[in-house]
Amino acid sequence: MKHPSISLCMIVKDEERHLARCLQSVKGIVDEMVVVDTGSVDATPQIAEQFGAKVIRVPWKGDFAYARNAGIDAAQGEWILILDADEEVDLADGPKLKACAEHMDIDGFLFQIHNHVGDKAQQGITINTVIRMFRNLPPYRYEGRIHEQIATSMYRHKPNCRLHIMDVAIHHYGYQPSIVTEKNKIRRNVELLLETLAEHPNNPFHLYNLGVEYLRMGQQPKALDAFRKARSFVVSPQEGYVHLLYKYEVSALRSLGQLQEALRLCEQAIRTFPDYTDLHHLKGVCHLAAGERTEAKAAFAMAMQLGKPPASYHTEDGMGTYQTSFMLGTVHEATGDYDEAIHCYVRTLQHGSGLNPPLYRLFRLFRVIGTPERTIELLRERIHMNSPEAEIKVARMLLELGCVRAAEAVIGGMDRSSYESVIMLMEAESRLMGGDPIAARELLTRLGSESELAPEASFHREDLCFYAGLLAGEASSGEDGRSRSGNDGRVTAHRLVRRWDRFKEEGHNSGTIHRIVKKDMYYVLSGLVSCDKTEDASQFVDACLQVTGPSPERANGLMLGDGLAYALVAWADSHLEKVDLKSGTKELVSTSRLALPSLEGFPGERGWGR
């Protein structure tokens, strides 16, 4: 029995890096490949021909619909499948395309476009539903110079045309920063949109898309203006992009610090789209930015109750699931609801043990509430470290958070044959943070004579030697065998400031010095508290703030408060109670615990080297 045929139609230009991946994803699925080339100067046409594609060369006229329709005009299949070169059909979903083609009573299918918006997998995915497969009928043609649409012509020809949403994933990589920069897509899109708006100045869809491009450029005031104009011309809120128009306008207001207006607009949008989870999540983010934690909890809880939004909405991966539960956990943590915070983070982890943010938060939270054994239990039950690299990653994360016992448990179980020097370096760090700077210095001395270290590890060893010497010298001084007091904290603070000045004089940039400041504050404060030198720790905090002042130009204009926050957020509450912190510093710790780590999982670069 003959199956209905599918023609893949594409438009391309200089896509030799991506095209083969795209074509491979539908090889054996489609019956025909039609590739419209608008002026490639690389090997794109040859790659297409290697896959058996029919290559049609069409001069670029600044009109995407024109180029799309040129390919459709040449297609012979009963169905048209639309893909771009920077896309690929999910490996598991290819066979579903053939199943779709059997339904000749359907006019078109909407598939899930997974837009990968970061160069790293963990940096996020947005998901939107788009018509990508439709019947090859003469009236069905694209319209629009940019952000071309097929639905308009389909409904014009057949007002009761049938569209069906299918669970087919198409991965789109064109929004990754490296590709956007390479292709200069944003400037091209803005130019085409401005040309189109010159002809149709009141078109809300084009105004909305212009606002999106401005938002991607970081030009929030222009984006906000475009969104407001677009909303004023919207005829029906049921048009497919209007829910996104509200979401992006709220985002623009939030980024401009206009939080109350953002919340008012968010409420208005929720009345129109009450089941759009992203709006409730965004409402929580706005309340959190405004310091309204109770309201933020309620908004995130509502997003969790709604769960993943209906497929008709453009969403971000994790809305109503792991991203929302993670944010809800941070609010519970900041307000001292530690059990609820742990529950939220564990629920986040259920989406994958490789997610850094909930791991980081859980490790740090167990440290804060003084239950390190729960960290080890979590490692055994939920974290699958199936390679030495994974073990090193987890051990470093634990050390960064001051979870010394858990870090030692991971390090102790590692195979030393391949990573001896790295393991020794981490062992020295754990000794230092555990309050034994003399043992740490002995390990570092052995490491220096026995191992050839990579440059970044060598830098880290040098820093650890500095901290070990600083702390060991203090711990061993005094005729009565006790640690020195009095000016110890102030002396240590002055030594660190001189160190930062030296790095500045050597020409290191502000970002590098920033990392050094944070790292210095962290290791020295952790060492002082681990040695139970709480009086020195208090003096050290006060002295650092006095030495550098509220705007420490000596540290290259960096706020020392950031380094102080970085050092203090990982301390256990029991340790903080021992240190006589001033009220302003206590508030800094509370606020920083909410803000750090970031959604990417870490409060900043670890700075293993300089």
Side-chain angles (χ1 to χ4, degrees):
M1 178 180 174
K2 183 183 178 182
H3 297 281
S5 56
I6 305 173
S7 293
L8 169 68
C9 293
M10 307 176 64
I11 56 175
V12 299
K13 180 182 178 183
D14 295 333
E15 295 287 0
E16 65 180 4
R17 286 181 55 196
H18 311 289
L19 183 58
R21 177 183 59 193
C22 175
L23 297 178
Q24 186 64 42
S25 74
V26 292
K27 183 180 179 181
I29 303 293
V30 301
D31 302 277
E32 178 186 37
M33 296 179 177
V34 180
V35 176
V36 173
D37 190 287
T38 61
S40 293
V41 295
D42 63 6
T44 296
Q46 290 76 26
I47 293 171
E49 288 168 348
Q50 288 171 8
F51 280 84
K54 180 193 301 181
V55 178
I56 303 172
R57 289 172 170 79
V58 174
W60 176 244
K61 296 176 180 272
D63 189 327
F64 280 94
Y66 176 85
R68 290 246 184 251
N69 294 334
I72 296 172
D73 290 343
Q76 301 297 312
E78 295 162 274
W79 289 89
I80 301 296
L81 172 67
I82 299 294
L83 290 176
D84 289 332
D86 53 13
E87 297 176 337
E88 63 176 331
V89 176
D90 190 272
L91 181 63
D93 293 340
K96 296 179 184 178
L97 301 180
K98 284 186 174 293
C100 290
E102 296 292 338
H103 294 273
M104 300 299 288
D105 57 326
I106 302 291
D107 291 275
F109 291 95
L110 295 93
F111 299 152
Q112 305 292 316
I113 311 300
H114 290 237
N115 302 293
H116 297 255
V117 296
D119 286 322
K120 298 180 180 178
Q122 71 267 26
Q123 288 183 318
I125 295 174
T126 68
I127 304 171
N128 60 306
T129 306
V130 180
I131 299 173
R132 284 301 190 92
M133 188 167 160
F134 52 90
R135 294 286 304 282
N136 187 4
L137 300 176
Y140 291 177
R141 292 296 183 268
Y142 278 92
E143 298 179 5
R145 179 179 290 154
I146 184 172
H147 297 295
E148 63 281 9
Q149 303 291 306
I150 192 69
T152 306
S153 66
M154 294 177 71
Y155 279 110
R156 185 187 305 118
H157 171 70
K158 188 179 179 181
N160 62 340
C161 73
R162 295 184 62 193
L163 299 177
H164 188 73
I165 298 175
M166 279 294 293
D167 186 22
V168 172
I170 296 175
H171 298 280
H172 174 222
Y173 306 101
Y175 287 156
Q176 292 180 324
S178 58
I179 297 176
V180 170
T181 301
E182 173 194 347
K183 294 288 185 179
N184 207 1
K185 287 185 175 183
I186 296 178
R187 190 179 72 176
R188 176 204 66 191
N189 291 351
V190 169
E191 290 174 355
L192 289 174
L193 284 165
L194 290 174
E195 289 175 13
T196 304
L197 283 166
E199 301 169 4
H200 308 283
N202 298 335
N203 185 298
F205 182 62
H206 294 316
L207 285 165
Y208 152 74
N209 281 307
L210 181 63
V212 171
E213 299 300 337
Y214 283 139
L215 207 58
R216 291 169 68 191
M217 296 168 68
Q219 298 184 14
Q220 282 82 2
K222 285 187 175 182
L224 182 60
D225 183 60
F227 292 142
R228 284 172 170 166
K229 287 180 180 177
R231 198 156 47 86
S232 71
F233 293 121
V234 167
V235 175
S236 168
Q238 301 311 312
E239 293 184 45
Y241 65 93
V242 176
H243 65 283
L244 264 180
L245 171 58
Y246 275 105
K247 176 181 173 180
Y248 287 146
E249 186 174 344
V250 171
S251 296
L253 287 165
R254 179 177 68 88
S255 65
L256 290 169
Q258 300 177 33
L259 297 175
Q260 295 309 312
E261 186 174 351
L263 285 165
R264 284 193 294 270
L265 183 61
C266 206
E267 291 285 3
Q268 179 182 334
I270 288 172
R271 286 194 292 271
T272 306
F273 306 104
D275 57 345
Y276 187 21
T277 308
D278 295 47
L279 289 174
H280 295 274
H281 181 98
L282 185 55
K283 179 182 174 183
V285 171
C286 290
H287 277 305
L288 200 52
E292 299 163 353
R293 295 175 180 174
T294 301
E295 293 82 356
K297 279 185 188 179
F300 289 132
M302 176 57 71
M304 287 299 297
Q305 181 179 326
L306 288 171
K308 188 176 180 180
S312 57
Y313 290 120
H314 182 296
T315 186
E316 296 174 43
D317 191 31
M319 293 294 101
T321 57
Y322 68 90
Q323 281 204 54
T324 304
S325 63
F326 177 73
M327 292 301 297
L328 184 57
T330 64
V331 185
H332 281 302
E333 183 182 341
T335 54
D337 301 328
Y338 291 152
D339 287 340
E340 282 299 317
I342 290 169
H343 172 73
C344 289
Y345 295 147
V346 170
R347 183 163 50 179
T348 305
L349 259 188
Q350 290 172 352
H351 293 268
S353 61
L355 292 171
N356 281 343
L359 269 182
Y360 193 102
R361 283 286 192 182
L362 278 168
F363 290 162
R364 196 199 61 75
L365 189 52
F366 291 149
R367 162 78 169 162
V368 162
I369 62 179
T371 55
E373 66 279 356
R374 296 181 70 178
T375 304
I376 298 175
E377 180 183 329
L378 181 74
L379 287 168
R380 290 172 179 161
E381 293 182 357
R382 292 187 174 272
I383 312 305
H384 305 291
M385 295 175 284
N386 51 13
S387 70
E389 291 77 14
E391 291 175 322
I392 290 171
K393 173 185 173 182
V394 171
R396 283 179 168 174
M397 186 187 295
L398 289 165
L399 287 171
E400 180 176 352
L401 293 167
C403 303
V404 177
R405 282 176 52 192
E408 289 175 343
V410 174
I411 296 167
M414 292 181 64
D415 179 6
R416 305 182 74 98
S417 59
S418 300
Y419 294 92
E420 175 69 19
S421 61
V422 174
I423 293 172
M424 286 183 66
L425 194 61
M426 291 192 296
E427 285 176 332
E429 188 171 355
S430 71
R431 299 291 191 279
L432 178 66
M433 298 180 65
D436 193 349
I438 295 176
R441 190 162 54 179
E442 290 174 355
L443 269 171
L444 292 166
T445 302
R446 283 174 47 203
L447 182 63
S449 60
E450 298 175 5
S451 305
E452 289 294 329
L453 295 175
E456 65 173 24
S458 180
F459 282 133
H460 189 51
R461 176 191 172 279
E462 178 186 326
D463 286 341
L464 291 178
C465 286
F466 172 79
Y467 307 136
L470 197 65
L471 295 168
E474 291 175 353
S476 62
S477 61
E479 294 180 0
D480 57 0
R482 293 181 298 176
S483 61
R484 289 184 297 164
S485 56
N487 290 328
D488 281 353
R490 285 184 285 274
V491 170
T492 303
H494 279 276
R495 287 186 63 183
L496 286 183
V497 172
R498 288 198 300 272
R499 170 176 153 90
W500 303 334
D501 284 342
R502 176 169 58 82
F503 284 126
K504 181 180 178 182
E505 292 167 1
E506 290 175 359
H508 294 281
N509 61 38
S510 59
T512 299
I513 297 178
H514 195 180
R515 290 194 295 273
I516 293 168
V517 169
K518 291 198 297 184
K519 190 165 62 169
D520 286 356
M521 294 290 289
Y522 179 71
Y523 282 108
V524 172
L525 276 170
S526 296
L528 288 171
V529 171
S530 296
C531 295
D532 208 27
K533 296 163 67 66
T534 52
E535 183 181 350
D536 287 344
S538 298
Q539 293 173 346
F540 174 73
V541 170
D542 293 340
C544 280
L545 294 173
Q546 292 170 8
V547 167
T548 57
S551 180
E553 295 181 359
R554 297 186 66 185
N556 211 17
L558 300 168
M559 288 299 294
L560 188 68
D562 183 46
L564 179 61
Y566 180 77
L568 294 179
V569 290
W571 279 10
D573 282 352
S574 57
H575 283 156
L576 288 175
E577 290 169 1
K578 295 180 183 178
V579 180
D580 183 22
L581 297 177
K582 294 181 178 178
S583 59
T585 306
K586 290 180 180 177
E587 179 60 28
L588 176 66
V589 173
S590 175
T591 303
S592 299
R593 280 186 170 172
L594 177 63
L596 304 174
S598 67
L599 283 177
E600 287 72 35
F602 297 94
E605 296 181 48
R606 179 164 170 76
W608 290 96
R610 293 193 281 276

